[in-house]
Each structure stands twice: as structure tokens, then as C-alpha cells.
Amino acid sequence: MDRDTFIITVYCMVAEHYSQLTQQHPLRYGGFAPQLTDAEVITIEICGEYFKLQTDKDLFAYFHTHYRHFFPHLTARTQIARQAANLWWIKAAIHQRLTHVSGQAADPIQAIDTLPLPVCTYTRSTRDRCFKPDADYGHCAAKKLDYYGFKLGLRISRAGMIIHYPLLAARPHDINHLEALVEGFCGWVPADKGFIDAFRQQLLATRHDILVITPARARMAPPSHAPVLLRASARWRKRIETVGSHLTERFAVARLRVHDLWHYQHRLIRKILAHTVLVFLNLQLHRSPLDLDGLVCA
């Protein structure tokens, strides 16, 4: 589809789910209605993320210049920035609704992983005052990166849709976040070597019927799982690596530059929702779910 069709499709999807979510619990009970509707603001955010417009300034400039005929009431950048930040919870609710409507939340096999989220350069970390005491020093072995910030936990379905995305502390090892990543889930969980812990895995299997499938480290006894299951688990783990690269490269989750945790989480939710909408559209169009580049023609 072309860009115009993409924007219209996203707007129709957002408007439909927004109306369903606010039918019983309206967002506003009085006062003047905003110039831009909430569905229009969320549409601009989602499409802007796909078009790699990372800042509110770039977002406003692009749509004000090229799509004023779609959004005639788009007149002030501060207007859309404030309204978008206040809609964080409805965007989280739309994401959750999409995972259930698509059936991906019920997938019995969901892979987990973490991503490093630096909030500033390492040399400036001692002078940082924006995220104290929430941010901390962390290490990412996969990227050989020492950083200051957070970790983004990811749990995805086999199709690549993000189901759960907790914001985690950077300093603890990944194994300490295992319970947070599998919260509310029951089934098979492919994971990398950072989640190897026989005691925790046995506890989750006994109490919550969660089977964490991890490869063996060097000089470790081979796992008791069947070889065919280990090979399938390796394929499923590659999909979460693809999702992580989407968030890092296209959606730039590691380059969020805000001054407080509230705005940080709002931007993070916006990017997760944008990725979920794109995967949802690919599923509806019977395309490869993680083929984001080919969804919209240049």
C-alpha cells in the first residue's frame, strides 16, 4: 500500500479500537473538545514512528507539511505533544486489545529476551539527574556494551507480536527478571543462555506450568529436552532478535532523550504500539508478520 492508504488504514483501526475502549469509560466528561481528536493524534504518532520521525518536532513538521489535508486542525506542535503524552494509558490499552483480538496473546509458545536502554552517554552518567534513582549501570553481554539506563523486557508470540514489555532495572542479571517476563503466562518459553537457572526453571514448571527452554552452555550437560524441540526453540529465539533489531534500528528505543520517567515510558509505549500495529496489519494482509519494510511503498 502507499503512504496515504497506510495512514487511512491506521486511523480506521485506531478509531475502531478507541471507540470500543472508551464506550463505557469516556476519557473526558466536560470542557472543550481538543482540536485534534485522540484517534488522529495516535494515528500521527504510529505513522510517524514507522516513517522514522523520532522527535515531536520532526513529527509535527512532516504531517503539517505533507498531510494537512488529512489533519486540517494540526496547527501547533505543543498541542499534539501534550495531548499525546496524556493518552499513554489508552495507547497501552489499544496494544493489549490488539494482542487479544489477533489471538497472539493466547499463543502457548512465547519467547523472552531483554534489550539495553541507555538514557545518556556513559561519560555523562555521573552527572545525570533526570532518572535518579531509577536508572542504573548495566552490562549487555550480547552487544558487549556497558551503559547507564534501563532494560526493556520483551515477550513475543511466535508471529513476532510483542505481548509483554516491562521496564526493568539495568544492574541485575537477566535471570533475576525471569518472573517479571513470564508474568501472567502459561506455556513454553524459549530463552537464551542468560536465563539458565535450574532451580527457577523447576519452580516455574511446578507452580505455574511454565517450561523455560534454554540452550546449554559450554561444558554443561546437554538439556533433557528433545533435540527437535531445541531446534524449534532456536528458530523462535531468532524472531525475538528480529523484533529487538526493529525496536533498536527503526524505532530507536535506545535513543530516547527525555527528562523524566513519565515521558520516557510514554515514548516507549508509543513505539511498542506502532510495532504491534504493523505486525497486526501484516497478519491481516496475510504477509510475513515481521516484514515491516515491505508494508508501505516509498
Side-chain angles (χ1 to χ4, degrees), residues 210-263:
I210 298 174
L211 178 63
V212 181
I213 308 169
T214 55
R217 294 185 185 274
R219 296 184 297 276
M220 279 184 61
S224 58
H225 307 302
V228 63
L229 178 59
L230 293 175
R231 289 194 295 269
S233 177
R235 293 196 301 271
W236 297 327
R237 289 200 311 274
K238 287 182 180 179
R239 294 178 186 176
I240 198 169
E241 293 173 0
T242 302
V243 172
S245 66
H246 286 164
L247 295 177
T248 303
E249 301 299 329
R250 175 176 286 277
F251 297 100
V253 294
R255 296 195 296 271
L256 291 175
R257 297 296 179 259
V258 292
H259 297 291
D260 59 80
L261 190 58
W262 185 75
H263 283 91

Side-chain angles (χ1 to χ4, degrees), residues 36-165:
L36 280 173
T37 65
D38 294 335
E40 288 177 322
V41 171
I42 297 174
T43 300
I44 289 173
E45 289 187 286
I46 293 172
C47 296
E49 290 291 343
Y50 181 75
F51 299 151
K52 300 182 180 180
L53 306 172
Q54 306 300 339
T55 66
D56 290 336
K57 182 179 179 180
D58 294 338
L59 199 69
F60 172 79
Y62 179 82
F63 282 93
H64 188 267
T65 302
H66 301 286
Y67 288 98
R68 188 72 183 274
H69 56 292
F70 279 4
F71 308 100
H73 299 295
L74 182 61
T75 57
R77 177 174 63 86
T78 55
Q79 166 201 11
I80 185 175
R82 283 196 299 266
Q83 189 173 348
N86 290 326
L87 291 173
W88 67 270
W89 73 269
I90 195 68
K91 284 179 280 191
I94 291 175
H95 165 267
Q96 188 177 24
R97 180 176 171 83
L98 287 176
T99 62
H100 285 86
V101 169
S102 63
Q104 297 301 307
D107 191 348
I109 302 174
Q110 298 183 11
I112 60 172
D113 203 355
T114 61
L115 282 178
L117 293 180
V119 297
C120 66
T121 60
Y122 200 82
T123 54
R124 290 185 55 194
S125 58
T126 56
R127 304 192 303 273
D128 175 69
R129 295 294 181 269
C130 298
F131 296 97
K132 299 285 188 183
D134 303 294
D136 204 346
Y137 296 96
H139 175 75
C140 177
K143 297 184 178 182
K144 298 180 180 179
L145 172 68
D146 293 306
Y147 67 97
Y148 175 80
F150 305 97
K151 283 181 182 177
L152 175 63
L154 289 176
R155 192 175 81 231
I156 69 166
S157 65
R158 280 175 290 178
M161 183 174 287
I162 299 172
I163 307 300
H164 187 45
Y165 53 99

